[in-house]
Amino acid sequence: KAGVTQTPRYLIKTRGQQVTLSCSPISGHRSVSWYQQTPGQGLQFLFEYFSETQRNKGNFPGRFSGRQFSNSRSEMNVSTLELGDSALYLCASKPGTSNYNEQFFGPGTRLTVL
Amino acid sequence: DQQVKQNSPSLSVQEGRISILNCDYTNSMFDYFLWYKKYPAEGPTFLISISSIKDKNEDGRFTVFLNKSAKHLSLHIVPSQPGDSAVYFCAATLYGGSQGNLIFGKGTKLSVKP
């Protein structure tokens, strides 16, 4: 099975712009979660989508949003970018039918905000 | 308030010896724990997990120990190999349907010297 894929791998934006990141989960996986990794805060949970519905949400401002499509692919959007949004954004998938399934991560999208 | 803590940012071990990575948590409701390994420019890779109903789980060279009364878990790697050099993240999750996200520690960088 192909792993989790994320596009683009690298992105440079300026403050105030918006950005959309894409994630394709492992085939058959219905749950997609997004995480932000920064040197200071480590890996922090953004949100989880399951069957096109947001099932869980972390403690991030409303500028961070996401959606999931019927084929389980997911997108994450960040509006009005700030310098502090520079981070590695990781997507993870799992079957979604049990909370005990380990999550499989993609390689991430490195976002730099100038 | 960090719910999952990895107090050692780095660890250096000689090849062939045992590596012990530690993790503490504060939320007694956590009931499933995972270890991930991360190489630079890659997403985290799942290593091993343990349910709170167990106190030990083994998979090849990797063993995870859980001490619920101390809210402490550890990952043992025996014998350590240079290829094990990476950042190791401890993660925890809550049972309950909507609480499927992983809460990560900030990681421990393991260096295995030949």
Side-chain angles (χ1 to χ4, degrees):
Chain A
K1 274 187 181 177
V4 178
T5 58
Q6 292 186 247
T7 56
R9 292 294 310 277
Y10 302 91
L11 207 47
I12 299 175
K13 292 285 187 179
T14 56
R15 276 182 300 174
Q17 286 187 310
Q18 75 162 15
V19 67
T20 300
L21 313 181
S22 181
C23 171
S24 291
I26 291 171
S27 177
H29 285 190
R30 295 164 62 193
S31 165
V32 173
S33 295
W34 289 88
Y35 293 83
Q36 180 196 64
Q37 185 184 16
T38 58
Q41 298 299 321
L43 274 151
Q44 292 189 294
F45 171 74
L46 280 153
F47 30 66
E48 179 199 11
Y49 284 86
F50 178 78
S51 293
E52 301 179 66
T53 301
Q54 188 179 86
R55 183 160 75 170
N56 197 4
K57 188 177 189 302
N59 190 26
F60 276 81
R63 300 185 297 108
F64 292 81
S65 63
R67 59 178 175 168
Q68 187 180 34
F69 302 94
S70 58
N71 61 358
S72 293
R73 190 177 70 84
S74 177
E75 287 182 348
M76 189 191 100
N77 185 274
V78 188
S79 62
T80 320
L81 284 166
E82 300 177 359
L83 295 179
D85 296 333
S86 294
L88 180 67
Y89 289 89
L90 292 158
C91 164
S93 77
K94 64 179 182 179
T97 54
S98 164
N99 287 315
Y100 286 2
N101 298 136
E102 63 268 15
Q103 296 185 18
F104 297 87
F105 284 83
T109 294
R110 171 72 62 183
L111 172 65
T112 302
V113 182
L114 302 175
Chain B
D1 178 31
Q2 238 187 307
Q3 297 188 72
V4 178
K5 299 178 185 179
Q6 293 178 257
N7 292 319
S8 298
S10 63
L11 176 68
S12 184
V13 170
Q14 207 66 32
E15 180 180 6
R17 307 294 283 264
I18 184 172
S19 294
I20 300 176
L21 296 104
N22 294 303
C23 178
D24 296 297
Y25 60 96
T26 57
N27 190 339
S28 58
M29 297 299 291
F30 287 146
D31 64 350
Y32 198 69
F33 304 89
L34 308 91
W35 284 94
Y36 282 83
K37 177 170 77 171
K38 188 179 186 297
Y39 295 116
E42 295 183 13
T45 302
F46 170 74
L47 267 179
I48 191 169
S49 61
I50 187 166
S51 163
S52 61
I53 62 174
K54 296 185 176 182
D55 55 19
K56 178 182 173 181
N57 188 26
E58 280 183 86
D59 185 1
R61 297 187 297 115
F62 301 92
T63 303
V64 57
F65 295 92
L66 175 62
N67 182 333
K68 282 200 303 181
S69 60
K71 296 194 184 70
H72 177 83
L73 65 155
S74 60
L75 174 68
H76 293 209
I77 306 174
V78 184
S80 301
Q81 300 173 353
D84 296 329
S85 297
V87 178
Y88 288 78
F89 291 95
C90 167
T93 190
L94 289 159
Y95 177 74
S98 62
Q99 298 294 329
N101 58 295
L102 297 176
I103 299 167
F104 284 89
K106 293 195 175 182
T108 296
K109 184 176 183 180
L110 173 66
S111 299
V112 181
K113 301 187 183 305

